[in-house]
């Protein structure tokens, strides 16, 4: 199958690729092949503790005493 290349930048919303206005009529109903190229995301060396420090878990209750923490009968 002979194919013509059309390149544009678009945005994905709810799993749907937005086709720019100039190409909508031209591509409507056509069989197309899509190749997605997205920007590289920076990897961070963040771990679970870093996440908790930025987003602490909110606890609404009475904190346990030292004795209650180490009580094996609970």
């Amino acid at each position: 199958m002979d194919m013509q290349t059309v390149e544009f930048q678009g945005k994905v919303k709810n799993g749907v690729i937005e086709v720019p206005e100039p190409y909508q009529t031209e591509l409507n109903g056509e069989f197309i092949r899509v190749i997605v190229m997205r920007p590289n995301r920076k990897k961070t060396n963040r771990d679970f503790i870093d996440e908790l420090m930025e987003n602490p878990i909110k606890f609404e209750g009475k904190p346990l005493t030292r004795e209650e923490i180490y009580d094996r009968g609970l």
Side-chain angles (χ1 to χ4, degrees):
M1 176 184 295
D2 189 32
M3 299 188 93
Q4 174 189 7
T5 302
V6 176
E7 183 177 331
F8 60 85
Q9 291 185 1
K11 193 169 197 172
V12 178
K13 287 187 180 178
N14 297 323
V16 177
I17 299 172
E18 291 184 350
V19 176
E21 192 96 16
Y23 299 111
Q24 287 180 3
T25 305
E26 180 182 341
L27 298 176
N28 191 33
E30 292 286 329
F31 175 81
I32 61 171
R33 186 175 93 184
V34 178
I35 299 172
V36 177
M37 297 171 58
R38 67 178 193 173
N40 289 332
R41 304 214 188 263
K42 290 184 178 180
K43 291 185 179 181
T44 61
N45 291 332
R46 298 177 54 78
D47 62 5
F48 183 69
I49 300 299
D50 292 329
E51 290 294 325
L52 283 175
M53 292 299 291
E54 283 188 19
N55 305 301
I57 297 172
K58 307 241 185 310
F59 177 74
E60 296 180 19
K62 180 184 148 224
L64 296 174
T65 65
R66 177 182 289 265
E67 290 77 25
E68 290 172 325
I69 292 172
Y70 292 103
D71 183 9
R72 300 291 181 187
L74 292 179

